[in-house]
Each structure stands twice: as structure tokens, then as C-alpha cells.
Amino acid sequence: MIVSVNCGIWVFPDDTANALGPMFSGFLQTGAYNGLNGVYGLAGWKWLFIIDGIITIPIALLGFFLMPDLPTTTKPSIFYTQEQLNIAIARMEKAGRKPPSPFTWEKIKGFFTTWHIWVLVPLYVLNTEMIFWLKSFNTRAGHTVYTIGQINTYPLAIQAIQVVTTLMYAWWSDIVGARWPPMLFAGTWSMITCIVLAATPLYTHITRRWVFYYFTGVQNGLSGLILAWTNELCSSDSEKRSFVIGNSNMWAYVVQAWLPILIFPQVEQPRVLKGNITTAAINFGMMLFAMLTLYLSRRDQRKGAHAPDVPVDDTESTGKVALKRWTKRLM
């Protein structure tokens, strides 16, 4: 869930859940392998699929009943009274959010005449390992031999760092009233990480390689910021907002379906020199699109066209207002 109110953004439990999920899954996988491997003739990894499948059933049911639609389309229920819905509708109107209208071919074609679809979608798509390195030690004489449980649990610190950085980026963005600074910071950090991993020998400087493997998750917490920025920049048009966000998610999954296989093939693990270099280049591209988004949004603000209803840049007034809000919260 991504909740964006004025210049504030809360990305918990979206990106943080994306990190916590694999963490719990890693412990589940270790437990399934150690405790259920061979039970009823099923391998431990099969038991993991069964457990994960059972867990998704109540989650899906809760999502169906608890997650609301838009304030204008949600009906009163035991979870939301009509009074609460009216408050939500009034707040949407006050923020200048228009109720949704039907999609038409003319409207859809109009989406492609503005920069949002061409810049925000690549920005999200460009926001796109250690396990193989640990496994490779077991084939080399004189090196530490890692158990299956260790191989499954040691890399989970990558997700732990992602949880911390995700919250850090969200709070940082809220304090300064801008989306782009965490993107430049995380992109630069990730580029340095990839360059170091590409340049460091596999079985010397072991401590350095451990540290930088853990840093590989620092950029994964940006998707919430990018989607929040997209919501803000397209806030004047509900249909465009949904169209751009839908395309962002779709093309991100399309690229993620084949790109990791191409640049991180198993036959090149754990060196994956090509993958680290390509990832560094992708990070650089993400930062370029972030700055292009900043430039175009400010240009629109200067022209008074498609000005977002919430602060999206780092103007002095926005920063002061955001800082005052956080100061009050802390006092």
C-alpha cells in the first residue's frame, strides 16, 4: 500500500513488505528443508511451495474484503461508514482530484501526447548474486563449506538493509519535500556497489565482498517513491494516472522476466561481470530519468500546466513546510 498525503509518503508496508517477504521465506525454506525434507516423500522445497500456497489463501480473502475502491465507488460497510466515505470524497475534491470517467480512445491517445508516459514509465522500469557466491565456496578446497541453511539465511541481511533504506528514503523525501534526492543517492550507492563487485576478486578481500553484497538491495526501496511521484504528477487526471502506473508495473515485469536471465546467467555465477556492469549502467539511466522528470515537472509548474496538487520539488517553501510538520511530530 502506498499512501501519499500532501508532501508526505508512507511506503510501509509495500516496499518494506517486498523485502520482509523474502526474509521470512528464507527462514521458512531453511525450516522446511531441515524439518520437512523427505516427509511423506516430498522434498523440502516442495513443502515450501505448499506452505506458501496455504498462506496466500487468507491473505487473498482479507484483501478482497478489506481493501477499498475509490471513495466515490466504495459502498458503506462494516469497515467504512457513509460519513467516513463522505469525508474521503470531500478531501479528494479539496485536493482537486476529479472522479473517474470512462476511458475513450481519444483520451488514451491523448496520454501519449504528454511526457508522463514516456518518462515516468522508463523511470520505474529502470528501478529494477550472493547465494551463488556462497555455493561456490563448497567446490573450492581450503575454503569454508556452507550448509544449505546457511546459504538460505546469510543473504537475508540484503532484505534487512532494504527495509531500513526504504523507510529512510520515504522519511527523507517527506522531510525535504522532494522525491528525487533519494533516487540520486540510492542510484549512486548502487552504482558504486556494482563497480566494486565487478572489480573485486571472488576469493580475496572476502570481507569487502560480503559488505558490498549486502549493499545490493539499497536501490530496491525506490519504487514507492517513483509511484508516489507519478501519482502526484498525474493527479489532475485519474485515467492518466491509472494508465501510467499500470504501464509502469506491466513493463517492469516484462523487463524483469528476461533481463536477469540475460545479464546474470547461472553459467556465469558467481562472477557475473556483465551483470554488475549492466546494473551500474541501469542505475545511471534511472538517475538521468529522475532528473528529466524533475526538469519537466518544474517546467510544467512554471507554465501553470498540469501543476500537481501536492508538493513535488525541493522549493524553499515546500522544504520549510515539510520540516515544520516533522518538527511538530517529533515534539
Side-chain angles (χ1 to χ4, degrees), residues 11 13-23 124 159 162-163 166 220 223-224 253:
V11 290
D14 181 32
D15 282 344
T16 46
N18 289 337
L20 291 171
M23 288 181 65
Y124 188 76
Q159 282 76 37
Q162 180 183 335
V163 171
T166 297
N220 295 336
S223 60
Y253 283 119

Side-chain angles (χ1 to χ4, degrees), residues 70-73 88-103 107 111 231-232 234-242 305-309:
L70 296 174
T72 53
T73 57
I89 293 172
R91 292 182 65 185
M92 295 286 285
E93 293 175 349
K94 185 177 180 180
R97 303 290 177 87
K98 299 178 181 178
S101 59
F103 278 92
K107 178 179 281 289
F111 298 156
N231 272 279
E232 294 164 355
C234 301
S235 62
S236 61
D237 190 327
S238 298
E239 288 69 46
K240 177 192 282 189
R241 185 169 68 250
S242 62
H306 304 293
D309 301 308

Side-chain angles (χ1 to χ4, degrees), residues 60-83:
L61 292 174
L62 285 173
F64 179 80
F65 289 107
L66 295 182
M67 293 188 68
D69 294 319
L70 296 174
T72 53
T73 57
T74 300
K75 297 180 179 179
S77 65
I78 59 173
F79 302 109
Y80 306 99
T81 66
Q82 186 61 54
E83 182 182 2

Side-chain angles (χ1 to χ4, degrees), residues 173 178-185 229 290-291 294 298 312-314:
S173 174
R179 306 299 181 213
W180 60 271
M183 297 179 193
L184 296 189
F185 174 81
W229 207 3
M291 298 314 296
L294 177 65
R298 287 183 172 178
V312 295
D313 62 16
D314 63 336

